[in-house]
Structures are given as C-alpha cells and as structure tokens.
Amino acid sequence: MRKIVFLMLCALFLVSCNQKQNEQESNKATTKENVKEMKFDELFKSISPEELSDNVFKLVGKDFTVISAGNETHYNSMTASWGGFGILFNKPTTWCFLRANRYTLELIKQQQSYTMTYFSDEYKDQVLFLGSKTGRDTEKMKEVSLTHVLTPAGNSSFKEAKLIIECKLTEISTVHPDDFYTQEGKDFIKEGYDDAKDYHKLIFGEITNVWIKK
C-alpha cells in the first residue's frame, strides 16, 4: 500500500513539474517568440502617468529613450539619453534635448505627436543601433529587428517595448550658449551648432497615454 501511495505521489510530482515547465515555456514563447504576431492590446495595458513606478534616472540615464514619430508607412526613431518628466501647464509632461538636424525632430513637427519608448536590457544593441545612423537617407528602420507597431492613437512604437509614453507636442524651444552658466554647457551647445548649423532644441510634450507590458 505504501509503495502505491509513494508511486502516486511521484506521478503527481512529475505531472506538476511538467505543467510548470510547459507554462514557463509558453510564457517565454509569448514574450519573445510570438511577440511579433501579437496585437497591441494583447501586449500592453494602459496606466495613468501617476502610476509610473520606474526610476526616471534609470529610464533616461541607463535604459535610454527611443523617440519615434511618423505614421504607419513613414516613421523614424532615434536614441536619446537626456530628458525627464514633470508638470507643465498643470499637465504631466516629458522633455527631451535634441540636435536641430535630427530627422525624428522633423517628423515630430509634422505630426505634432511622438512616443518615448523604453526597453529591457536584452534589446540594448537594437536601441543603440537606432542612434548609430540617420533615417533621413538610410533604411535603418528596415534593418532594425524591433517590430514596429501603432498605438491605438496612431503613434509609432515597438512591440518589444516595456514602456511606451505617448506625447502631444507642447513646445519647441531653441537654446543658446548664453543660456548656460557652466562652461560644459556652453561648449556642448557650441559643438552641436557646428554640426547642425543651428542650436539644440528643447522638446516639451504633454503625456497623453502610458502603456506598460502586460
């Protein structure tokens, strides 16, 4: 009798282990292998800006930001590492700091909306690739292995993202070396001017939607 009970327990244990392994494999397939076939609402859920729990200094300073603008047939993305979050005109707002000749900036002006997208570390190489060349005269958006997707509002982002912040353009300001009180700041702005023949732009955008991976 004890042998029978022991064998039954062993069988139940093995079945449980197999089920757990299958669930893990299924989850892995959902998050990595099948992500390209999944729809936006299957991958992401909406939260309010106040529900964001990520450390902004890690998001911006470590994870970097992929800024995207455009439509379904014509869009571009770039990597940025400067920016932040706050309140402007009593509305949750993002800001970023872009060189004046960025192609993505042209599309932001045209569309007057854009996304700021964040990824887990496993996509670091792809994120950095988006900042390695311009999309103005290359096919970089076809070369990157990330999967383009439109949000319900029609803004461009990627299915592999862990966080997507949609923004409505609020203001574009032009900086000047005289605006800065450190030599580091003055030198940086002058260097950017030499490259773009125009000064850096500060981009402010009202947060209209926040999406996190389910």
Side-chain angles (χ1 to χ4, degrees), residues 39-57:
K39 297 179 180 178
F40 187 89
D41 58 0
E42 294 175 320
L43 291 166
F44 301 99
K45 68 176 182 178
S46 175
I47 63 171
S48 68
E50 292 79 10
E51 292 178 280
L52 276 171
S53 59
D54 297 88
N55 185 309
V56 63
F57 295 102

Side-chain angles (χ1 to χ4, degrees), residues 125-137:
D125 289 345
Q126 296 303 312
V127 170
L128 294 177
F129 171 78
L130 290 171
S132 66
K133 60 174 73 174
T134 179
R136 191 191 307 277
D137 49 16

Side-chain angles (χ1 to χ4, degrees), residues 52 59 85 94 114-118 157 163-167 206-211:
L52 276 171
L59 279 178
F85 305 85
T94 67
Y114 57 97
T115 62
M116 301 180 72
T117 304
Y118 304 86
S157 189
L163 170 65
I164 301 170
I165 299 177
E166 293 187 85
C167 303
E206 176 190 345
I207 298 176
T208 54
N209 293 289
V210 179
W211 303 93

Side-chain angles (χ1 to χ4, degrees), residues 151-168:
T151 68
N155 291 308
S156 290
S157 189
F158 299 95
K159 292 184 177 182
E160 291 82 2
K162 67 175 183 179
L163 170 65
I164 301 170
I165 299 177
E166 293 187 85
C167 303
K168 180 174 68 175

Side-chain angles (χ1 to χ4, degrees), residues 105-196:
L105 178 57
E106 289 185 22
L107 298 179
I108 289 175
K109 291 178 180 179
Q110 292 174 15
Q111 300 293 127
Q112 296 186 23
S113 63
Y114 57 97
T115 62
M116 301 180 72
T117 304
Y118 304 86
F119 300 83
S120 59
D121 290 343
E122 63 187 299
Y123 298 107
K124 182 178 180 180
D125 289 345
Q126 296 303 312
V127 170
L128 294 177
F129 171 78
L130 290 171
S132 66
K133 60 174 73 174
T134 179
R136 191 191 307 277
D137 49 16
T138 71
E139 296 291 328
K140 77 170 186 179
M141 300 313 299
K142 293 181 180 180
E143 297 172 28
V144 70
S145 62
L146 299 172
T147 312
H148 178 250
V149 68
L150 291 179
T151 68
N155 291 308
S156 290
S157 189
F158 299 95
K159 292 184 177 182
E160 291 82 2
K162 67 175 183 179
L163 170 65
I164 301 170
I165 299 177
E166 293 187 85
C167 303
K168 180 174 68 175
L169 183 62
T170 301
E171 178 190 359
I172 298 178
S173 298
T174 302
V175 302
H176 189 275
D178 293 342
D179 297 332
F180 290 81
Y181 289 85
T182 66
Q183 193 59 47
E184 179 185 29
K186 293 178 182 293
D187 292 343
F188 184 85
I189 298 304
K190 290 177 180 178
E191 179 185 344
Y193 182 89
D194 291 339
D195 175 57

Side-chain angles (χ1 to χ4, degrees), residues 78-94:
M78 60 167 286
T79 308
S81 57
W82 289 9
F85 305 85
I87 301 296
L88 181 65
F89 305 126
N90 297 319
K91 296 176 181 178
T93 300
T94 67

